[in-house]
Amino acid sequence: MDVGNFGKWLFGFGLLVAVVGLLLWLGSRIGLPIGRLPGDIQVSGERWSFYFPLMSCIVLSAILTVALNIILRFFR
């Protein structure tokens, strides 16, 4: 892999991170319930609690998969 090709990949990854950050920031401002979706697991005891955002992980994974596929199509 040459340096120019690595630069394209690095730029694409940085752009993807920036877009995801922007979407999460805007989503929290307009009231999207990322992290509080139905299907997120929360178990609490008397002195402990466990939280795993299962549905939020699935939704974010689908969004990131679509975004990455779109970005990779531009670099082909």
Side-chain angles (χ1 to χ4, degrees):
M1 178 184 289
D2 65 355
V3 176
N5 200 15
F6 180 70
K8 285 183 187 179
W9 278 98
L10 192 59
F11 177 77
F13 183 71
L15 187 63
L16 178 68
V17 169
V19 167
V20 169
L22 180 66
L23 289 174
L24 288 174
W25 178 62
L26 290 174
S28 67
R29 291 183 143 237
I30 62 173
L32 287 178
I34 297 296
R36 299 180 314 267
L37 293 174
D40 291 346
I41 299 170
Q42 183 174 5
V43 180
S44 296
E46 187 176 315
R47 295 178 13 171
W48 59 274
S49 65
F50 174 76
Y51 178 74
F52 184 72
L54 180 65
M55 189 57 65
S56 296
C57 289
I58 293 170
V59 169
L60 287 176
S61 175
I63 291 170
L64 289 174
T65 299
V66 170
L68 187 60
N69 281 326
I70 290 171
I71 289 172
L72 289 177
R73 285 182 191 253
F74 285 123
F75 286 109
R76 285 191 191 179

